[in-house]
Amino acid sequence: MDLRQLSYLLEIAKQQNFTKAAENLHLTQPTLSKMVKGLEEELGVTLFDRTGKYVKLTDAGIAAVEQIQIIMQSVQNLYTAIEDASNLKTGTIKIGLPPVISSVFFPRVIAKFQKLYPNIYFQIVEEGAKKVEGLVLDGSLEMGVVVSPVDAEAFEILPFLNQKLALVLHREHPLAQQPSVPLQKLRNEPFILFPNSYAVRNHVIRACRSIGFDPDVVYESSQWDLLAEMVAANLGISIMPEAICSKIVNPDCTTVELTDPSIPWELVVISHKVKYQSYAMREFKSFISGLTAE
């Protein structure tokens, strides 16, 4: 049996007459009767009592019609759910964000998107950038926001934010009043950085090594505000993204441009290059593209 045949049974039950049902279904009465007879043989029961002027459902027919109505409603629900998803009325986006990024940027981005699509929900997984890349590759996440560079052969990459890392100093540090500070002048400073799993730290280490020294990391924390407080306590210097530096409110901290070399900090949105992308996810990526174009 198929859905078409089930709909025919409902029409017969509604009209209580094979001829009238056949007219409404644009079938011949013998064709409809033959179809019903075949279904009765398949099910091993009699569905209609044909002895009177009007056909009536048997007990088995009543039970069958009740279940057919449930089936037809479920099929309609299926089509409605698909239509809602394709029209972005509903959906869930599972996205990975390193903690530094999630605390600074994405709450505002998500809030703007959900004003447009209030029934699109986000499931946010906070992990380091490398972990996020792995979760996108194995399909555990639909998309992630990480620090460039990433493997262009494995990921579809969408630029999101392009900034630099800046130097955070205690306000009484000898370099605090300089308009900019060459990285080389920090050779003998105690560094306060994010942990090894954070892309920000890796960028700092690479830049220092490129000019001939390994930074002396005396403290580390995954919380940018704690890093800032340690600088405010004059325990060392730190290097953070400009966007995070702008959120530091402790008056004992000051931010200075870092040069020679400057250290880029480019955020990109990544997704798997070949896996299926949901309607909601595609629209969210389009929304992000619009933000970066502004």
Side-chain angles (χ1 to χ4, degrees):
M1 68 180 72
D2 56 33
L3 291 175
R4 176 177 52 85
Q5 292 172 321
L6 297 181
S7 69
Y8 292 172
L9 290 180
L10 291 181
E11 185 63 24
I12 298 168
K14 178 180 178 181
Q15 301 300 330
Q16 298 183 7
N17 183 283
F18 273 83
T19 301
K20 179 63 175 175
E23 290 175 359
N24 290 346
L25 295 169
H26 306 290
L27 298 171
T28 64
Q29 191 271 333
T31 297
L32 187 59
S33 295
K34 182 178 180 181
M35 185 276 296
V36 173
K37 187 67 175 176
L39 283 178
E40 289 178 326
E41 291 176 356
E42 181 179 345
L43 295 171
V45 296
T46 300
L47 297 172
F48 295 99
D49 179 358
R50 302 167 175 81
T51 57
K53 181 178 179 181
Y54 296 99
V55 296
K56 296 180 180 180
L57 289 168
T58 63
D59 290 343
I62 292 172
V65 165
E66 289 177 352
Q67 294 303 311
I68 290 169
Q69 289 172 333
I70 294 173
I71 292 169
M72 300 304 286
Q73 184 59 55
S74 296
V75 171
Q76 183 58 50
N77 291 344
L78 170 64
Y79 283 114
T80 300
I82 292 173
E83 182 180 2
D84 284 351
S86 63
N87 291 324
L88 298 171
K89 294 178 182 177
T90 186
T92 299
I93 299 173
K94 192 171 183 181
I95 183 170
L97 303 174
V100 173
I101 296 168
S102 65
S103 64
V104 177
F105 301 105
F106 257 69
R108 296 194 302 273
V109 174
I110 290 172
K112 288 181 180 179
F113 182 77
Q114 287 195 309
K115 283 185 178 179
L116 299 175
Y117 306 108
N119 293 321
I120 302 292
Y121 300 99
F122 287 84
Q123 184 177 348
I124 297 174
V125 176
E126 284 193 299
E127 294 286 356
K130 289 302 178 184
K131 179 70 171 178
V132 169
E133 289 181 28
L135 292 173
V136 171
L137 277 179
D138 69 19
S140 299
L141 295 174
E142 289 184 278
M143 61 195 306
V145 182
V146 298
V147 180
S148 181
V150 294
D151 185 357
E153 294 186 3
F155 298 106
E156 185 176 306
I157 301 169
L158 175 65
F160 174 60
L161 184 72
N162 194 356
Q163 292 191 342
K164 296 178 182 178
L165 299 186
L167 175 61
V168 183
L169 301 165
H170 189 277
R171 63 185 176 86
E172 294 183 355
H173 192 284
L175 299 173
Q177 303 306 314
Q178 299 297 315
S180 63
V181 174
L183 185 60
Q184 187 66 249
K185 285 195 174 183
L186 304 178
R187 174 184 290 270
N188 297 317
E189 296 287 340
F191 279 67
I192 302 170
L193 297 178
F194 289 101
N196 280 322
S197 59
Y198 283 60
V200 174
R201 179 185 176 126
N202 294 332
H203 278 41
V204 172
I205 299 298
R206 281 197 297 269
C208 292
R209 287 175 177 171
S210 73
I211 57 173
F213 76 95
D214 280 307
D216 179 21
V217 181
V218 293
Y219 296 103
E220 61 180 44
S221 172
S222 61
Q223 304 300 315
W224 65 265
D225 49 348
L226 179 55
L227 296 180
E229 289 303 311
M230 285 191 283
V231 172
N234 212 9
L235 297 175
I237 60 98
S238 189
I239 296 176
M240 304 186 199
E242 291 173 335
I244 293 179
C245 293
S246 68
K247 297 175 72 69
I248 299 174
V249 296
N250 193 312
D252 286 331
C253 289
T254 188
T255 301
V256 179
E257 180 185 1
L258 193 61
T259 62
D260 301 321
S262 62
I263 307 175
W265 193 65
E266 181 184 5
L267 294 183
V268 294
V269 178
I270 59 169
S271 54
H272 200 287
K273 211 157 193 177
V274 297
K275 290 185 182 295
Y276 171 77
Q277 297 183 0
S278 67
Y279 292 99
M281 176 180 164
R282 279 179 269 168
E283 188 64 17
F284 185 53
K285 290 173 69 176
S286 177
F287 174 78
I288 292 173
S289 294
L291 291 178
T292 58
E294 292 177 356

